[in-house]
Amino acid sequence: MKKTKMINSDMSRVIAQMGHFDKLSIGDAGMPVPMGTEKIDLAVDNGIPSFMQVLTNVLEELEVQRIYLAEEIKTENPKMLENIKALMPEIPITFMPHSDMKQDLNNCHAFVRTGEMTPYSNIILESGVVF
């Protein structure tokens, strides 16, 4: 059995297969996922698991060099933006319109759906390298 905190086999598999500059997305329960992008659905109830719980868990496994957030998070969910910045203070952020972010899910290895029910709680993580 794995010793690390991530025990979800689908998430562990996707992260293990990622290389430099590859992307993984985590988001709220309402984010539409393109047909060609694998969806790992963790949502079981309103808020369970939360976006921040899943993001914190993924960061135990994935080296991240850049994050992408919707421009709208600045005004529509500033508390979540504050939480993300506090968790990853050194990681550069690129903001984009939410409509562009939805399109960029086509370029992600997978989308992890959480039970989060707050607006614009979506992120794209760009994989870095550990050396």
Side-chain angles (χ1 to χ4, degrees):
M1 185 169 196
K2 284 184 59 138
K3 289 175 68 174
T4 59
K5 291 183 179 185
M6 179 169 297
I7 59 173
N8 182 284
S9 60
D10 289 325
M11 288 175 55
S12 186
R13 171 187 47 80
V14 167
I15 291 171
Q17 292 174 343
M18 290 177 66
H20 196 200
F21 293 103
D22 286 345
K23 294 177 179 177
L24 173 68
S25 183
I26 302 168
D28 59 43
M31 186 69 149
V33 182
M35 293 294 289
T37 301
E38 179 179 357
K39 179 167 63 173
I40 301 170
D41 195 344
L42 304 181
V44 296
D45 201 348
N46 186 340
I48 301 172
S50 73
F51 172 84
M52 289 304 295
Q53 287 173 321
V54 174
L55 178 58
T56 300
N57 182 261
V58 167
L59 293 175
E60 293 282 335
E61 295 273 320
L62 180 64
E63 181 69 26
V64 175
Q65 68 181 17
R66 174 170 298 279
I67 62 174
Y68 299 85
L69 298 170
E71 189 73 38
E72 293 87 342
I73 196 172
K74 294 175 184 176
T75 56
E76 301 300 318
N77 200 345
K79 180 65 175 164
M80 185 62 76
L81 176 57
E82 180 182 311
N83 291 340
I84 292 167
K85 286 181 174 181
L87 185 61
M88 298 180 285
E90 304 298 320
I91 306 296
I93 301 173
T94 298
F95 291 96
M96 64 175 66
H98 185 63
S99 58
D100 291 352
M101 188 174 209
K102 289 189 284 189
Q103 288 300 311
D104 204 26
L105 292 182
N106 286 301
N107 301 317
C108 292
H109 279 242
F111 176 83
V112 181
R113 181 176 181 249
T114 71
E116 188 67 46
M117 296 287 185
T118 62
Y120 303 103
S121 294
N122 302 290
I123 192 168
I124 296 175
L125 307 169
E126 183 179 273
S127 180
V129 292
V130 295
F131 56 88

